[in-house]
């Protein structure tokens, strides 16, 4: 009620105001509680996410270490395999050389075969031996034209390098047959053509690979 120009509250108004204040305080406390709960839920969520991230980091670190160990083992295996391949290749080359330079001459001499036939044996042994070595080093099961070309070139050069000294020093007497003499005279040209063909074909293959990549 109004009294002497001033606003005066009676008891009922005071009680009502107190109730409103209590209600507001309760709402405030509830809001504070809700805020704390929300903050706590956020904290728990963040902690859980942080734990998940730490577990993922640990897992990635373990996986990285495992991959590094596998990489080292693979590199070691490749290195050992390469060394083993070269070692086996050297043994095969020595075996081919032993057959060409020692075993074949002994067989030809013991059986009384004309010495000219030794070149056929050298060519066959060198061709198939080189074919096996090249295929072994490449690691491919089927033979390709490049491997056959290398084996053929190696066989012809080997026969040539063993043929010329024996003919030059008179160790082998070539029959005076026209066809044979023609082959002997033109043998160097044949070897030269084969070598040139080998390098030209290699260059063509490399050029084709470059063009295919472009």
């Amino acid at each position: 009620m109004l009294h002497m120009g001033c606003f005066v509250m009676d008891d009922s108004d005071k009680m009502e105001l107190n109730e409103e204040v209590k209600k507001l305080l309760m709402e405030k406390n509830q809001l504070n509680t809700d805020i704390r709960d929300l903050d706590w839920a956020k904290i728990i969520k963040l902690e859980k996410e942080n734990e998940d991230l730490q577990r993922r980091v640990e897992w990635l670190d373990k996986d990285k270490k495992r991959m590094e160990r596998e990489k080292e083992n693979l590199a070691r295996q490749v290195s050992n395999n390469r060394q083993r391949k070269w070692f086996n290749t050297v043994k095969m080359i020595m075996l081919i050389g032993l057959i060409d330079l020692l075993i074949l001459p002994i067989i030809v001499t013991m059986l009384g075969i004309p010495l000219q036939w030794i070149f056929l044996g050298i060519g066959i042994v060198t061709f198939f031996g080189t074919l096996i070595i090249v295929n072994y080093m490449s690691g491919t099961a089927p033979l390709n034209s490049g491997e056959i070309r290398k084996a053929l070139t190696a066989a012809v050069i080997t026969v040539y390098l063993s043929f010329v000294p024996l003919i030059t020093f008179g160790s082998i007497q070539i029959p005076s047959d026209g066809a044979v003499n023609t082959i002997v005279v033109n043998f160097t040209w044949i070897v030269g053509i084969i070598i040139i063909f080998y390098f030209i074909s290699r260059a063509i293959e490399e050029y084709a690979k470059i063009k295919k990549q472009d």
Side-chain angles (χ1 to χ4, degrees):
M1 63 176 62
L2 295 175
H3 181 71
M4 297 178 64
C6 296
F7 179 75
V8 179
M9 292 187 299
D10 54 13
D11 293 336
S12 61
D13 293 333
K14 289 181 179 179
M15 291 179 62
E16 187 176 347
L17 182 60
N18 288 332
E19 290 293 331
E20 290 292 334
V21 171
K22 288 180 180 179
K23 186 177 180 180
L24 290 173
L25 287 174
M26 290 177 64
E27 291 179 354
K28 178 183 177 183
N29 292 332
Q30 185 63 38
L31 286 173
N32 289 331
T33 302
D34 293 340
I35 290 172
R36 284 195 300 272
D37 292 340
L38 288 173
D39 290 341
W40 182 248
K42 288 181 179 179
I43 291 172
I44 293 175
K45 184 178 180 181
L46 290 173
E47 287 180 350
K48 187 178 294 184
E49 291 179 352
N50 186 37
E51 291 176 357
D52 292 339
L53 286 173
Q54 287 181 352
R55 282 195 294 268
R56 290 181 62 185
V57 169
E58 291 176 357
W59 180 81
L60 289 173
D61 187 56
K62 291 180 181 179
D63 190 62
K64 180 182 178 182
K65 291 179 179 179
R66 179 179 61 81
M67 291 182 66
E68 288 178 351
R69 287 195 299 269
E70 291 180 354
K71 183 179 178 181
E72 291 176 356
N73 292 333
L74 182 61
R76 193 179 301 111
Q77 290 176 3
V78 171
S79 177
N80 293 335
N81 188 41
R82 187 181 296 113
Q83 293 177 359
R84 192 180 304 112
K85 272 193 171 184
W86 278 109
F87 181 70
N88 292 335
T89 301
V90 171
K91 290 196 296 184
M92 285 188 285
I93 292 173
M94 293 176 64
L95 178 62
I96 293 173
L98 182 66
I99 294 173
D100 286 344
L101 300 177
L102 186 62
I103 296 178
L104 281 177
I106 291 175
I107 293 175
V108 169
T109 303
M110 290 179 62
L111 297 178
I113 300 173
L115 196 56
Q116 292 87 342
W117 287 93
I118 194 174
F119 301 112
L120 178 62
I122 291 174
I124 293 174
V125 171
T126 305
F127 175 78
F128 286 104
T130 305
L131 199 61
I132 294 172
I133 291 173
V134 173
N135 185 257
Y136 173 75
M137 289 297 293
S138 65
T140 58
L143 297 172
N144 55 49
S145 60
E147 294 172 355
I148 296 174
R149 184 174 58 246
K150 291 176 182 177
L152 182 61
T153 304
V156 172
I157 292 176
T158 303
V159 172
Y160 176 75
L161 292 178
S162 59
F163 177 80
V164 173
L166 292 176
I167 296 299
T168 302
F169 295 106
S171 299
I172 296 178
Q173 300 296 325
I174 300 297
S176 58
D177 182 76
V180 176
N181 287 330
T182 303
I183 294 175
V184 173
V185 171
N186 295 289
F187 196 14
T188 301
W189 288 101
I190 294 172
V191 173
I193 291 171
I194 291 175
I195 294 174
I196 292 172
F197 174 77
Y198 171 79
F199 286 105
I200 289 177
S201 59
R202 284 296 303 273
I204 293 174
E205 284 184 358
E206 294 297 329
Y207 178 76
K209 289 180 182 179
I210 295 173
K211 293 296 290 184
K212 188 176 181 180
Q213 292 176 357
D214 295 339

Coordinates of all heavy atoms in Angstrom, one line a residue, residues 8 11-13 19 26 39-40 52 57-58 61 68 79-80 105 113 121 123 130 156 178 180 194 201 213:
V8 N 5.2 1.0 0.6 CA 5.5 0.2 1.8 C 4.9 -1.2 1.6 O 3.7 -1.3 1.1 CB 4.8 0.8 3.1 CG1 5.0 -0.1 4.3 CG2 5.3 2.2 3.3
D11 N 3.4 -7.7 4.9 CA 4.0 -9.0 5.1 C 3.8 -10.0 4.0 O 4.7 -10.8 3.6 CB 3.4 -9.6 6.4 CG 3.9 -8.8 7.7 OD1 4.9 -8.1 7.6 OD2 3.2 -8.9 8.7
S12 N 2.6 -9.9 3.4 CA 2.4 -10.9 2.3 C 3.3 -10.6 1.1 O 3.8 -11.5 0.4 CB 0.9 -10.8 1.9 OG 0.6 -9.5 1.4
D13 N 3.5 -9.3 0.9 CA 4.4 -8.9 -0.2 C 5.9 -9.4 0.1 O 6.6 -9.8 -0.8 CB 4.4 -7.4 -0.5 CG 3.0 -7.0 -1.0 OD1 2.3 -7.8 -1.7 OD2 2.6 -5.8 -0.8
E19 N 9.9 -15.6 -1.5 CA 9.7 -16.8 -2.2 C 10.4 -16.7 -3.6 O 11.0 -17.6 -4.1 CB 8.2 -17.1 -2.4 CG 7.6 -17.6 -1.1 CD 8.1 -18.9 -0.6 OE1 8.5 -19.7 -1.5 OE2 8.1 -19.1 0.6
M26 N 17.4 -20.9 -6.1 CA 17.4 -22.3 -6.4 C 17.7 -22.5 -7.9 O 18.4 -23.5 -8.3 CB 16.0 -22.9 -6.0 CG 15.8 -23.0 -4.5 SD 14.1 -23.6 -4.1 CE 14.2 -25.3 -4.8
D39 N 30.3 -29.3 -17.5 CA 31.8 -29.2 -17.5 C 32.4 -30.5 -17.2 O 33.4 -30.9 -17.8 CB 32.2 -28.1 -16.5 CG 31.9 -26.7 -17.0 OD1 31.6 -26.5 -18.2 OD2 31.8 -25.8 -16.1
W40 N 31.8 -31.2 -16.2 CA 32.4 -32.5 -15.8 C 32.2 -33.5 -16.9 O 33.2 -34.3 -17.2 CB 31.7 -33.0 -14.5 CG 32.2 -34.3 -14.0 CD1 31.6 -35.4 -14.0 CD2 33.5 -34.5 -13.5 NE1 32.4 -36.4 -13.5 CE2 33.6 -35.8 -13.1 CE3 34.6 -33.7 -13.2 CZ2 34.7 -36.4 -12.5 CZ3 35.7 -34.2 -12.6 CH2 35.8 -35.6 -12.3
D52 N 42.0 -42.2 -25.8 CA 41.9 -42.9 -27.1 C 43.0 -42.4 -28.1 O 43.6 -43.2 -28.8 CB 40.5 -42.6 -27.8 CG 39.4 -43.2 -27.0 OD1 39.7 -44.2 -26.3 OD2 38.3 -42.8 -27.2
V57 N 48.2 -43.3 -30.7 CA 49.6 -42.9 -30.9 C 50.5 -44.1 -30.5 O 51.5 -44.3 -31.3 CB 49.9 -41.6 -30.1 CG1 51.4 -41.4 -30.0 CG2 49.2 -40.4 -30.6
E58 N 50.2 -44.7 -29.4 CA 51.0 -45.9 -29.0 C 50.9 -47.0 -30.1 O 51.9 -47.6 -30.4 CB 50.6 -46.4 -27.6 CG 50.9 -45.4 -26.5 CD 50.3 -45.9 -25.2 OE1 49.6 -47.0 -25.2 OE2 50.6 -45.3 -24.2
D61 N 52.8 -46.0 -33.1 CA 54.3 -46.0 -32.8 C 54.8 -47.5 -32.8 O 55.8 -47.8 -33.4 CB 54.6 -45.4 -31.4 CG 56.0 -45.3 -31.1 OD1 56.8 -44.7 -31.9 OD2 56.5 -45.9 -30.1
E68 N 59.4 -50.7 -39.4 CA 60.8 -50.5 -39.6 C 61.6 -51.8 -39.4 O 62.5 -52.0 -40.2 CB 61.2 -49.5 -38.5 CG 60.8 -48.1 -38.8 CD 61.2 -47.1 -37.7 OE1 61.7 -47.6 -36.7 OE2 61.0 -45.9 -37.9
S79 N 69.5 -58.0 -49.5 CA 71.0 -58.0 -49.7 C 71.6 -59.3 -49.7 O 72.5 -59.7 -50.5 CB 71.5 -57.1 -48.5 OG 72.9 -57.1 -48.5
N80 N 71.1 -60.2 -48.7 CA 71.6 -61.6 -48.7 C 71.3 -62.3 -49.9 O 72.1 -63.1 -50.5 CB 71.1 -62.3 -47.5 CG 71.6 -61.7 -46.2 OD1 72.7 -61.1 -46.1 ND2 70.8 -61.9 -45.1
P105 N 87.3 -80.5 -74.1 CA 88.5 -81.0 -74.8 C 88.9 -82.4 -74.4 O 89.4 -83.2 -75.2 CB 89.6 -80.0 -74.4 CG 88.8 -78.7 -74.1 CD 87.5 -79.2 -73.5
I113 N 87.1 -87.6 -81.4 CA 86.2 -86.8 -82.3 C 87.1 -85.7 -82.9 O 88.0 -85.1 -82.3 CB 85.1 -86.2 -81.4 CG1 84.3 -87.3 -80.8 CG2 84.2 -85.3 -82.3 CD1 83.2 -86.8 -79.9
G121 N 80.2 -77.9 -79.3 CA 80.0 -78.1 -77.9 C 80.1 -76.9 -77.0 O 79.3 -76.6 -76.2
G123 N 79.7 -73.8 -78.1 CA 78.5 -72.9 -78.4 C 77.3 -73.4 -77.7 O 76.6 -72.5 -77.1
T130 N 74.5 -69.6 -70.4 CA 74.2 -68.1 -70.3 C 72.7 -67.9 -70.1 O 72.3 -67.0 -69.4 CB 74.7 -67.4 -71.5 OG1 76.1 -67.7 -71.6 CG2 74.5 -65.9 -71.3
V156 N 78.1 -66.9 -79.3 CA 78.9 -66.6 -80.5 C 80.2 -66.0 -80.1 O 81.3 -66.4 -80.7 CB 78.1 -65.7 -81.4 CG1 78.9 -65.2 -82.6 CG2 76.8 -66.4 -81.9
G178 N 85.2 -75.3 -99.7 CA 84.8 -73.9 -100.0 C 83.9 -73.3 -99.0 O 84.1 -72.1 -98.6
V180 N 83.3 -74.2 -95.9 CA 84.0 -74.0 -94.6 C 84.9 -72.8 -94.6 O 85.0 -72.0 -93.7 CB 84.7 -75.3 -94.2 CG1 85.5 -75.1 -92.9 CG2 83.8 -76.4 -94.1
I194 N 76.4 -59.7 -85.2 CA 75.6 -60.1 -84.1 C 75.7 -59.1 -82.9 O 74.7 -58.8 -82.2 CB 76.0 -61.5 -83.6 CG1 75.6 -62.5 -84.7 CG2 75.4 -61.9 -82.3 CD1 76.0 -63.9 -84.4
S201 N 69.3 -53.5 -80.9 CA 68.0 -54.0 -80.4 C 67.7 -53.5 -79.0 O 66.6 -53.2 -78.6 CB 67.9 -55.5 -80.5 OG 69.0 -56.1 -79.7
Q213 N 56.2 -44.9 -71.7 CA 56.0 -44.1 -70.4 C 55.4 -42.7 -70.7 O 54.6 -42.2 -69.9 CB 57.3 -44.0 -69.6 CG 57.7 -45.4 -69.1 CD 59.1 -45.3 -68.4 OE1 59.7 -44.2 -68.4 NE2 59.5 -46.4 -67.8

